[in-house]
Amino acid sequence: MTNYKLVFAITFAALLSSCGGNKNTSSMTKEEIIEYRVDTLLSQMTLEEKLGQMNQLSFSSIEALQPAIEAGKVGSILNTEDAKTVNALQHIAVEKSRLHIPLLMSRDVIHGFKTIFPIPLGQGATFDPALVQKGARIAAVEASSTGIRWTFSPMVDIARDARWGRMAEGYGEDPYLTSLMGAATVRGYQTADLSDPTAMAACVKHFVGYGAAESGLDYNSTFIPERQLRNVYLPSFKASVDAGALTVMTSFNDNDGVPSTGNTFILKDILRNEWGFNGFVVTDWGSTSGLIVHGFATDAYDAAMKSINAGVDMEMVSGAILANGAKLIDDKRISMGEIDRAVSNILRVKFSLGLFENPYTDETSPSVMYTPDHLKAAKKSAIESAILLKNDGVLPLKKSVKRVLVVGPLADAPYEQMGTWVFDGEKEHTITPLAALKEMYGDRVKVTYMSVLDYSRDRNTSKISAAVSAARRADVILAFVGEESFLSGEAHCLADLNLVGAQKEMLRALGKTATPLVTVVMAGRPLTIGDELAESAAVLYSFHPGTMGGPALAELLMGDASPSGRTPVTFPRMVGQEPIYYARHQVERPANENEVLLYDIPVGSSQTSTGCRSFYLDAGKDALVPFGFGLTYTTFKYGEVHISSSEVGVKDTLTLSTTLTNTGKVAGTEVVQLYVQDCVGSVTRPMKELKRFRRVTLQPGESQKVSFQLPVSDLAYWTYPMVYKVEPGDFKAWISPNSKVGTPISFVVK
Ligand code: GLC
């Protein structure tokens, strides 16, 4: 037994004997043993040591952190980068502190550690939870090899406003899709065996409602009433907690005036009492002290008190709890019970991860970074995340194409292609579209490259004319445009969603040539690309595809892979339509199909001459691209929808089915979607809600029956008064290719 295990075994035996802890654990379950170990250790801890476990620090240097770790004043460290550093810090905690409690090492591993996958919004576009789970597993294998055993992911904030830069980090606008993706990510990180040294504790964030920041402005207030919170913003967190997430992170926003880090209703009433969550709650960065800035606490003493009493267990870096906890106890402003609750939650996670038995990371094991399997999975994810928004037939590129002009600031931008929230991915490993195209075409095709713009915000139009000339000598133009990675992510909001810099001018000029223009967009959000859709022969949309984005996009463009991505968010025509999403409630004056718009309204029209309905005079009533939309290289026909019964009880299960046929000439993958509308409720209900989806791959001419099982209980929602139940009445269902189209079938819940 290596010395630290011996040290711990002796210490644990001493702990047991010193508090009558010689219980026979042989008949206990794994969970009971963990609780017993938690209680035994807790009974030995001083108040200072308890407060220490509640304290998370950001890595600075081993020397700077050593005194606090030795004194038992640190429970977790974030932002370490290598196993050697982690082990050095861990040796201090395990061998020099009084109780030898290991540290929990953590880092933001948001969409891959070294092998970077598409940003989560892109992974949402795959509508492939199994693939998302695989990506999370790979991220955990890579990150845990450096000693990271806790990551601040998945982010399951529902986001319906593309002005918000953090839309990039979640899985989109829909609670059902986000719930499946969040749960898949938790399973991928944690596996079924938490003590597996490659298991990494998930942290579901940001609890809760952060994506509803007013005006799409990050950190802004939210005003989400309880029913909307429960029906839209909480389900993805509950799905992730039910999947076993070990931790939850509080969000920066105040909702209806109450900052999440001081919000007892969400942290105790819902998370603990309703959901039975027994992991631990960590604040977001400095968010306990942030209560002072919110004007919700007067000082650090007050902020620490409000955080602890609301249900926070661990404070990320602001140190208010460590500094004020003892005085708060003396002043009876917090109880020791609250402290013990928090520390027990933290110790439970540490025991569950096997940190007491295996606190160290093997520094000698061969690297697991960028293995062929990891890169292959990352490429598959990038392929499945790409969304074909338009294709006049130019794609896939024909074998007759011999001269390809590649342009744009994202064609060969290895750093930008990885997208936001990448701390460990290395651009040297990124394969760009230009590199992939050259590799795949070899000398068979002449590939000419002109970036035209040096970066996405570049406003220098001087090279556009040369590109136009070059376009005239090409068989096709492949333009790679979009956003630098910096333009999305935390604190990076935009009030204008048009392509930045001179990208629009470049595309407009190229679109006027006779050479077909294929536009590939890499971005962290949906952009208002109506003009570019009109000017391009084809548009392929890729939410920052990561390390293998180049080969993925090249294979899609050349037909070696077939696009199957679907929009996980609604694309607006104009930014003024934000927030925009398909699951709008049924309003009193819905727009008609053919409203008269701005420039078609006769001069001098009287005020009510075009009616009074819900649409914009300039943007109209529709999105540019609806939720769930995506084309393939083939075509699909949906048969009639069949339903197992047109009248059901709340305990029944409906079967809804249709026959899907590939009516094209090549194989393709369709994402078949099931939507349901609750036509009448005790409150107004969404016009439709996604309830199931399935990826179906068919050969040319092949037909397949696609069936969905839908327990009627899945139609429950938080009603008026606030009760979660299915309300009898009329319903409609669609089985369709996206949220906009399809013929409904009716049924009644008795
Ligand atoms: C940041 C983010 C959060 C992240 C944390 C640690 O401010 O809001 O998502 O996990 O700090 O880096």
Side-chain angles (χ1 to χ4, degrees):
M1 188 183 280
T2 38
N3 62 355
Y4 65 82
K5 286 188 177 178
L6 188 60
V7 164
F8 183 71
I10 294 168
T11 309
F12 190 57
L15 285 177
L16 291 183
S17 60
S18 65
C19 55
N22 284 319
K23 208 172 182 177
N24 174 2
T25 60
S26 58
S27 61
M28 288 183 182
T29 64
K30 200 161 74 169
E31 289 71 24
E32 287 168 339
I33 291 174
I34 285 178
E35 288 312 309
Y36 175 63
R37 297 176 76 182
V38 166
D39 294 344
T40 304
L41 183 50
L42 188 72
S43 67
Q44 293 300 307
M45 297 175 76
T46 64
L47 173 58
E48 192 70 25
E49 287 165 333
K50 291 177 182 177
L51 295 171
Q53 286 301 306
M54 297 171 71
N55 186 40
Q56 179 182 55
L57 296 180
S58 185
F59 179 69
S60 48
S61 72
I62 295 168
E63 297 68 27
L65 291 172
Q66 174 148 1
I69 298 171
E70 275 189 25
K73 292 182 177 178
V74 188
S76 170
I77 291 172
L78 74 156
N79 293 338
T80 54
E81 294 178 9
D82 60 79
K84 188 172 171 44
T85 303
V86 166
N87 283 339
L89 295 166
Q90 206 65 288
H91 273 290
I92 298 167
V94 171
E95 294 168 19
K96 297 188 182 319
S97 74
R98 186 177 78 89
L99 292 175
H100 316 289
I101 301 173
L103 298 162
L104 181 54
M105 300 299 184
S106 58
R107 192 164 176 77
D108 289 283
V109 182
I110 307 302
H111 50 107
F113 183 66
K114 291 289 184 182
T115 304
I116 302 301
F117 281 68
I119 58 173
L121 190 58
Q123 295 190 46
T126 68
F127 280 70
D128 189 344
L131 186 57
V132 168
Q133 181 167 331
K134 182 175 177 70
R137 182 84 296 265
I138 288 168
V141 165
E142 293 192 352
S144 61
S145 73
T146 71
I148 304 301
R149 298 295 309 276
W150 179 28
T151 188
F152 306 116
S153 167
M155 174 186 154
V156 295
D157 300 306
I158 299 302
R160 296 176 161 180
D161 192 327
R163 295 173 293 180
W164 189 50
R166 303 200 77 167
M167 176 182 269
E169 296 174 57
Y171 301 103
E173 72 181 59
D174 183 72
Y176 178 72
L177 175 64
T178 302
S179 295
L180 291 187
M181 295 311 193
T185 303
V186 168
R187 288 192 295 269
Y189 287 149
Q190 297 186 173
T191 75
D193 176 10
L194 290 170
S195 64
D196 178 328
T198 69
M200 192 162 67
C203 183
V204 197
K205 68 185 187 182
H206 304 82
F207 196 59
V208 67
Y210 185 30
E214 193 169 60
S215 315
L217 185 59
D218 202 3
Y219 314 117
N220 208 1
S221 299
T222 61
F223 301 93
I224 312 167
E226 181 181 344
R227 182 171 294 104
Q228 183 78 339
L229 203 63
R230 289 181 178 278
N231 284 328
V232 174
Y233 293 96
L234 285 169
S236 53
F237 285 86
K238 182 164 191 321
S240 301
V241 164
D242 290 348
L246 288 175
T247 70
V248 169
M249 180 187 289
T250 61
S251 58
F252 286 124
N253 59 296
D254 58 306
N255 186 44
D256 193 19
V258 182
S260 299
T261 302
N263 190 330
T264 308
F265 173 63
I266 60 171
L267 298 181
K268 284 187 173 176
D269 298 354
I270 292 181
L271 190 59
R272 301 289 180 185
N273 300 340
E274 288 185 25
W275 296 358
F277 174 63
N278 75 344
F280 73 80
V281 172
V282 63
T283 70
D284 202 337
W285 186 281
S287 196
T288 290
S289 295
L291 298 181
I292 304 165
V293 184
H294 269 297
F296 187 76
T298 50
D299 55 21
Y301 175 90
D302 191 31
M305 178 189 71
K306 285 174 176 165
S307 285
I308 294 169
N309 286 337
V312 162
D313 299 315
M314 184 181 282
E315 179 183 4
M316 186 182 284
V317 308
S318 42
I321 289 174
L322 182 69
N324 296 281
K327 187 169 183 348
L328 285 165
I329 290 282
D330 289 346
D331 298 346
K332 298 190 179 357
R333 305 298 301 275
I334 59 172
S335 70
M336 185 57 83
E338 291 288 3
I339 298 293
D340 288 350
R341 168 221 77 211
V343 178
S344 297
N345 291 335
I346 294 164
L347 294 178
R348 185 176 305 115
V349 169
K350 290 186 173 183
F351 277 118
S352 301
L353 289 170
L355 288 178
F356 287 84
E357 288 73 28
N358 293 301
Y360 303 116
T361 303
D362 180 355
E363 293 173 43
T364 61
S365 55
S367 169
V368 293
M369 312 300 183
Y370 303 116
T371 64
D373 283 353
H374 294 180
L375 295 173
K376 184 179 169 195
K379 184 176 83 170
K380 180 172 167 58
S381 187
I383 286 172
E384 291 194 10
S385 68
I387 306 161
L388 186 61
L389 296 182
K390 178 184 179 182
N391 183 23
D392 72 355
V394 67
L395 293 180
L397 297 174
K398 308 293 177 284
K399 301 300 179 209
S400 57
V401 165
K402 294 300 175 199
R403 301 168 300 165
V404 173
L405 174 64
V406 175
V407 299
L410 276 297
D412 196 31
Y415 174 75
E416 310 306 346
Q417 180 176 312
M418 293 193 287
T420 188
W421 277 100
V422 170
F423 295 115
D424 303 285
E426 297 151 305
K427 65 179 183 177
E428 294 73 18
H429 288 265
T430 298
I431 304 177
T432 65
L434 177 67
L437 287 163
K438 285 181 172 177
E439 167 71 22
M440 290 171 69
Y441 270 138
D443 53 9
R444 286 182 295 117
V445 171
K446 181 175 183 301
V447 177
T448 305
Y449 170 54
M450 306 170 77
S451 69
V452 184
L453 304 170
D454 293 339
Y455 55 99
S456 67
R457 289 167 292 145
D458 188 353
R459 286 170 286 186
N460 177 355
T461 58
S462 63
K463 298 174 188 169
I464 292 177
S465 57
V468 169
S469 303
R472 294 198 176 98
R473 299 187 299 277
D475 299 324
V476 68
I477 309 160
L478 303 181
F480 295 86
V481 297
E483 295 182 311
E484 292 152 78
S485 64
F486 186 87
L487 299 184
S488 61
E490 182 171 358
H492 299 167
C493 300
L494 293 171
D496 182 336
L497 298 178
N498 287 319
L499 283 168
V500 293
Q503 297 181 97
K504 282 183 84 68
E505 290 84 341
M506 177 188 78
L507 292 171
R508 186 172 303 126
L510 293 169
K512 286 178 183 159
T513 69
T515 305
L517 169 63
V518 174
T519 297
V520 181
V521 183
M522 288 191 210
R525 53 162 55 86
L527 297 172
T528 43
I529 54 166
D531 293 343
E532 291 73 21
L533 272 168
E535 292 155 358
S536 306
V539 176
L540 190 62
Y541 211 93
S542 171
F543 295 108
H544 288 123
T547 303
M548 296 300 283
L553 291 169
E555 288 187 20
L556 287 164
L557 292 168
M558 295 166 67
D560 295 351
S562 181
S564 62
R566 294 295 186 276
T567 49
V569 285
T570 300
F571 281 53
R573 291 182 186 284
M574 302 172 77
V575 66
Q577 291 179 281
E578 294 289 5
I580 186 171
Y581 50 97
Y582 80 91
R584 281 182 69 192
H585 281 208
Q586 301 167 108
V587 297
E588 183 161 334
R589 294 190 173 181
N592 292 329
E593 276 311 312
N594 51 0
E595 299 294 356
V596 178
L597 299 186
L598 195 59
Y599 291 105
D600 298 326
I601 301 167
V603 173
S605 297
S606 67
Q607 179 60 28
T608 59
S609 59
T610 60
C612 301
R613 287 177 297 277
S614 179
F615 70 98
Y616 299 94
L617 292 181
D618 49 4
K621 72 177 182 66
D622 288 328
L624 179 68
V625 184
F627 172 87
F629 180 87
L631 301 174
T632 68
Y633 285 153
T634 186
T635 52
F636 289 96
K637 181 165 87 62
Y638 283 67
E640 269 188 46
V641 176
H642 299 285
I643 191 165
S644 52
S645 169
S646 58
E647 195 168 284
V648 287
V650 291
K651 294 188 179 355
D652 294 338
T653 293
L654 271 171
T655 301
L656 296 112
S657 63
T658 191
T659 298
L660 182 73
T661 302
N662 178 340
T663 49
K665 298 184 173 60
V666 295
T669 298
E670 180 73 342
V671 178
V672 182
Q673 300 156 47
L674 170 67
Y675 293 90
V676 175
Q677 176 187 19
D678 182 350
C679 300
V680 180
S682 53
V683 292
T684 58
R685 305 287 291 122
M687 288 189 277
K688 55 174 69 168
E689 296 174 284
L690 181 69
K691 291 294 182 185
R692 294 288 186 275
F693 59 81
R694 187 173 309 140
R695 290 172 59 88
V696 179
T697 300
L698 297 179
Q699 295 307 313
E702 183 185 3
S703 290
Q704 181 178 312
K705 183 178 178 184
V706 181
S707 288
F708 295 110
Q709 300 298 310
L710 182 68
V712 174
S713 56
D714 277 15
L715 304 179
Y717 76 103
W718 288 87
T719 63
Y720 179 88
M722 202 70 69
V723 174
Y724 185 71
K725 67 177 182 177
V726 178
E727 289 182 326
D730 294 336
F731 288 77
K732 287 180 184 170
W734 294 257
I735 295 181
S736 60
N738 64 65
S739 60
K740 183 99 176 66
V741 299
T743 305
I745 189 165
S746 298
F747 64 95
V748 174
V749 173
K750 289 177 299 206

